[in-house]
Amino acid sequence: MTTPKIAFVGAGSTVFAKNLLGDILSYPELAGADIRLFDINQERLDVTEQVAHRVAKAVSAAPTVSATTDRVRALDGADFVINMIQVGGYEPATVTDFEVPKKYGLRQTIADTLGIGGIMRGLRTVPVLVDISRDMERLCPDALHLNYVNPMAMNVWGLARLSPRIKTVGLCHSVQHTAGELATDLGLPVEEIDYLCAGINHVAFYLKFEHRGEDLYPRLMELAESGRVPEWNRVRYEMLRRLGYFVTESSEHFSEYTPYFIKHDRPDLIEKFNVPLDEYPRRCVSQIGNWRELQAKLQDPNEPLEVRRSVEYGSLIIHSMVTGQPRVVYGNVMNSPVNPDGTPGHGKLISNLPDECAVEVPCLVDKQGIQPTRIGRIPPQLAGLMQTNINVQALTVEALVTGNREHIYHAAMLDPHTSAELDLDQIWALTTDLLAQHGDFIPEELQAAD
């Protein structure tokens, strides 16, 4: 692979695309890459194209950059496909995911991974990812699909069921971000931390967290017991106290994956654990504002565009597969992987989680591609907590695979947060209401009945 061909699907996510472009083009071996930018929004696409050229100039790279609203053109012959779409956008889809549940007394923080919001996002996102993968089967069947889209576990799982020929790895930054946050809490350089993490996306735990051979868990536990923890991170330190291990995803995310922290009749819990309700809509508004600022900034050709290396894994994977330099990244893959020829792999990666679920584990990457690490058995209390989330993921994927919309209701009734707040009649009514509201974005057979 001399000149890698890299397609950005959903390139209108300009700020995120800017970070990935800076990471990729900073490598001399990738500086001449063939960059294909695709989005359905021409205005956003135009801005990202300008950003790509400015990033290339900033890092002294000379890529070939093309921008198109034709997905076939972007995917044709690609070696890597980076996916960062958001089906339905902030408006109307995300707003609907928050505002309709509120009418039933159900409040959320992020609603992109689990809960009733995560279920709806999965229903409208997996079919689009499958459609993209079907194009890849025709146009670039050997390409690696790097998925950054949530709900990560549902998306990876749904693709494995509905488009298994395409090699997919789900990428998140929660593992490396949280490692940095914990290092800061302990006053240690993150580059000196040695850790091992495993689980499911957003509910993975550090099975090992050490500094120069010292187990850091006693120090973290001391922080948790003392209450001297960052105000924005009280939920996760509380779970450390209860489970003995630290979870990767943020407190605002994790608070809605369990039934313990958000209760409509317990405002004391919201205050005690500093739970930011409606956090994701606020972030969306802020991100739209940041995009507008970047758009305005680009009007001045003399305005410098700062490029810093991010902690995202995408460029590391591409660089390792192009050059052969081995690295370890954390990826989301199926728990029972298959070989390239379709035969079963070497058993489960996490032995006390189901065969058919998506897990997040360390993966070796080199010219051979993504090679997940077999973890074995994880602590049973962690596996048990993950299973409550896997139940919801499994039923949402089953609804998509079979077209049986009753499984959407089953997913909602088994969701930890939803079932802790609403009775069965409310859950059924809410689910029906949301399916009707999202009718333009989910498969017709799964929409609410007339």
Side-chain angles (χ1 to χ4, degrees):
M1 192 187 304
T2 53
T3 303
K5 303 175 183 68
I6 307 170
F8 286 67
V9 176
S13 298
T14 306
V15 176
F16 191 59
K18 169 184 173 287
N19 292 338
L20 292 179
L21 285 164
D23 293 346
I24 292 167
L25 298 178
S26 293
Y27 286 113
E29 299 90 344
L30 305 179
D34 178 353
I35 303 293
R36 293 100 170 270
L37 306 174
F38 162 75
D39 203 277
I40 60 174
N41 184 312
Q42 185 68 60
E43 182 186 16
R44 281 185 164 268
L45 183 62
D46 291 343
V47 173
T48 302
E49 184 179 14
Q50 293 179 61
V51 166
H53 289 293
R54 296 281 286 272
V55 167
K57 183 178 180 180
V59 299
S60 301
T64 300
V65 177
S66 60
T68 179
T69 55
D70 181 352
R71 193 168 74 198
V72 169
R73 182 180 165 199
L75 293 177
D76 191 14
D79 301 303
F80 302 96
V81 177
I82 301 175
N83 208 327
M84 54 185 104
I85 64 173
Q86 184 181 359
V87 180
Y90 166 60
E91 291 181 313
T94 295
V95 171
T96 299
D97 284 342
F98 276 83
E99 294 305 314
V100 174
K102 277 184 190 178
K103 297 176 184 177
Y104 293 81
L106 183 64
R107 302 294 298 275
Q108 300 169 97
T109 55
I110 305 294
D112 73 348
T113 298
L114 208 72
I116 195 67
I119 293 168
M120 293 298 143
R121 184 176 281 231
L123 293 175
R124 64 180 182 260
T125 302
V126 170
V128 178
L129 297 181
V130 171
D131 195 40
I132 293 168
S133 295
R134 297 273 162 77
D135 278 352
M136 290 177 64
E137 289 176 9
R138 293 187 297 108
L139 301 165
C140 53
D142 297 323
L144 177 65
H145 179 212
L146 294 88
N147 178 66
Y148 276 101
V149 184
N150 283 323
M152 181 65 70
M154 293 183 197
N155 290 342
V156 170
W157 194 339
L159 284 172
R161 291 285 301 276
L162 293 166
S163 187
R165 289 180 56 195
I166 294 300
K167 298 185 291 289
T168 294
V169 60
L171 300 177
C172 182
H173 47 232
S174 59
V175 172
Q176 59 270 47
H177 274 183
T178 297
E181 292 162 1
L182 292 179
T184 298
D185 292 351
L186 296 172
L188 296 169
V190 66
E191 60 271 14
E192 295 181 6
I193 302 296
D194 181 24
Y195 60 81
L196 173 66
C197 194
I200 61 174
N201 182 239
H202 289 186
V203 191
F205 288 81
Y206 296 93
L207 305 179
K208 178 176 76 172
F209 203 78
E210 297 179 350
H211 178 249
R212 297 179 178 174
E214 176 195 359
D215 179 7
L216 294 175
Y217 264 118
R219 292 174 61 180
L220 289 172
M221 190 66 76
E222 182 181 352
L223 270 178
E225 296 290 354
S226 71
R228 294 180 290 105
V229 303
E231 290 189 359
W232 52 269
N233 217 0
R234 294 175 185 170
V235 167
R236 287 196 289 177
Y237 271 99
E238 179 67 10
M239 294 306 293
L240 169 64
R241 291 180 61 240
R242 306 294 180 169
L243 296 174
Y245 295 87
F246 207 92
V247 72
T248 52
E249 191 45 86
S250 63
S251 283
E252 61 267 22
H253 271 274
F254 192 79
S255 62
E256 64 182 8
Y257 304 158
T258 66
Y260 313 123
F261 300 103
I262 305 174
K263 296 179 182 293
H264 71 274
D265 58 350
R266 292 291 305 276
D268 58 307
L269 289 176
I270 303 298
E271 181 178 357
K272 177 180 178 181
F273 292 105
N274 197 27
V275 178
L277 297 173
D278 298 324
E279 172 66 14
Y280 189 61
R282 286 192 292 271
R283 290 185 189 179
C284 289
V285 171
S286 176
Q287 288 165 358
I288 292 169
N290 292 340
W291 184 84
R292 290 293 180 193
E293 288 179 13
L294 181 58
Q295 183 186 37
K297 192 176 184 179
L298 290 169
Q299 303 312 305
D300 182 357
N302 298 315
E303 180 75 26
L305 190 66
E306 185 179 26
V307 178
R308 295 182 180 179
R309 176 162 290 282
S310 78
V311 298
E312 302 295 344
Y313 290 130
S315 68
L316 305 180
I317 292 172
I318 294 171
H319 185 261
S320 288
M321 289 183 64
V322 169
T323 67
Q325 178 178 334
R327 288 186 174 92
V328 173
V329 302
Y330 278 81
N332 290 270
V333 295
M334 293 304 288
N335 195 27
S336 292
V338 295
N339 297 318
D341 62 0
T343 59
H346 296 291
K348 291 196 288 187
L349 301 174
I350 300 179
S351 58
N352 52 339
L353 289 182
D355 285 22
E356 196 179 52
C357 74
V359 296
E360 190 167 58
V361 295
C363 301
L364 171 68
V365 56
D366 55 21
K367 276 187 177 291
Q368 306 308 311
I370 304 292
Q371 301 150 69
T373 300
R374 188 173 184 276
I375 298 296
R377 185 177 176 83
I378 61 174
Q381 71 273 27
L382 306 184
L385 178 63
M386 292 171 200
Q387 186 63 58
T388 67
N389 285 220
I390 291 170
N391 293 337
V392 182
Q393 297 162 4
L395 285 160
T396 305
V397 170
E398 196 66 21
L400 287 160
V401 171
T402 64
N404 182 351
R405 69 189 190 94
E406 286 301 309
H407 289 318
I408 304 171
Y409 295 85
H410 300 152
M413 72 180 283
L414 291 179
D415 177 68
H417 176 45
T418 304
S419 60
E421 290 281 80
L422 306 181
D423 65 32
L424 289 172
D425 285 340
Q426 291 173 313
I427 291 171
W428 251 248
L430 168 59
T431 303
T432 299
D433 198 351
L434 281 168
L435 290 174
Q437 294 280 344
H438 284 304
D440 291 339
F441 298 107
I442 62 174
E444 185 174 349
E445 69 269 17
L446 297 179
Q447 295 174 21
D450 295 333

